[in-house]
Amino acid sequence: MSLVRLNIKGISYSQTQNGAYALILNEVGGERKLPIVIGAFEAQSIAIALEKEIKPPRPLTHDLFKNFSDRFEIVVKQVIIHKLVDGVFYSSLICERDGIEEIIDARTSDAIALALRFNAPIFTYKNILDKAGIYLKAEEAQREQQEKEKEEIISEELLQEEIELQGEDEDDSDYRKLSVSELNEMLSQAVAKEDYEKAARIRDEISKRK
């Protein structure tokens, strides 16, 4: 069966499952999108890997796996989403050490979080994309292109929902009163304290001014 390469399109809060997120994968060289429901922790881990401005002072679980693999010279070469059963996607990590290749089963959300950290490509089989892939309508595709030009790849909806779930009570208007240099200082402090929800909110305000 032929493989199809996928890129990460973005993440948004799931409208169908409470407390879950939708990871949208985009077919390289095509128009189909593959939506995958993932948990909040995995969504945050993927978002942090995509967001270059936020660096956790301590490694998250997927960062720890990456550090462990680097120490023992294990490389994740690629991720393959190889099966879809009752709406659940199954994935494999294709790893290599000392020239020996191994295949490790993994949840798709974990596999993608690791793929980002190893800069490994993500693939699925054509029959899975034929079964679960969706086409965007022309007007939706145009709207998404406009949004992509204005916003970061990470959905602002994800970051906002994370803040609300944590009970964040700061007003965005407070950030609008500050200068960019003051916001950058607050961003560094928030990351140092591992307050990623606050950091994401500050980052969004900085991005609006660029």
Side-chain angles (χ1 to χ4, degrees), residues 14-83:
S14 175
Q15 301 298 320
T16 59
Q17 295 191 30
N18 187 32
Y21 294 86
L23 171 66
I24 308 300
L25 301 177
N26 185 66
E27 175 188 16
V28 175
E31 299 179 355
R32 287 177 294 183
K33 307 293 183 289
L34 190 66
I36 300 176
V37 176
I38 62 176
F41 172 78
E42 292 78 12
Q44 183 186 60
S45 182
I46 292 171
I48 288 176
L50 289 169
E51 178 50 68
K52 305 304 181 183
E53 295 180 15
I54 299 179
K55 300 292 184 183
R58 296 185 299 171
L60 301 178
T61 301
H62 297 105
D63 296 320
L64 178 61
F65 185 97
K66 174 64 164 57
N67 295 339
F68 179 91
S69 300
D70 289 344
R71 181 65 59 89
F72 292 95
E73 299 181 346
I74 301 170
V75 178
V76 174
K77 298 177 62 179
Q78 62 183 4
V79 165
I80 299 178
I81 303 171
H82 63 84
K83 185 168 64 173

Side-chain angles (χ1 to χ4, degrees), residues 147-194:
E147 291 176 354
K148 184 177 180 181
E149 294 173 353
K150 297 178 182 179
E151 301 176 352
E152 299 288 338
I153 190 171
I154 302 182
S155 170
E156 183 178 346
E157 184 178 2
L158 163 66
L159 301 175
Q160 181 63 34
E161 290 292 341
E162 281 290 319
I163 292 169
E164 292 176 357
L165 289 173
Q166 294 294 330
E168 181 64 60
D169 58 1
E170 288 191 69
D171 192 339
D172 285 341
S173 62
D174 294 338
Y175 297 140
R176 289 195 286 269
K177 300 174 184 177
L178 302 176
S179 66
V180 173
S181 60
E182 290 173 325
L183 289 171
N184 282 322
E185 178 64 25
M186 289 182 64
L187 177 63
S188 299
Q189 294 175 0
V191 171
K193 295 178 181 178
E194 301 184 46

Side-chain angles (χ1 to χ4, degrees), residues 102-143:
E102 299 285 350
I103 301 176
I104 301 175
D105 287 335
R107 294 188 306 170
T108 297
S109 54
D110 289 328
I112 291 175
L114 290 172
L116 286 170
R117 287 161 171 81
F118 282 90
N119 292 318
I122 303 166
F123 296 94
T124 191
Y125 289 110
K126 183 178 181 298
N127 66 321
I128 292 178
L129 195 57
D130 290 340
K131 181 178 180 181
I134 59 174
Y135 285 94
L136 290 179
K137 296 179 180 179
E139 59 269 22
E140 291 177 340
Q142 183 178 6
R143 176 177 54 80

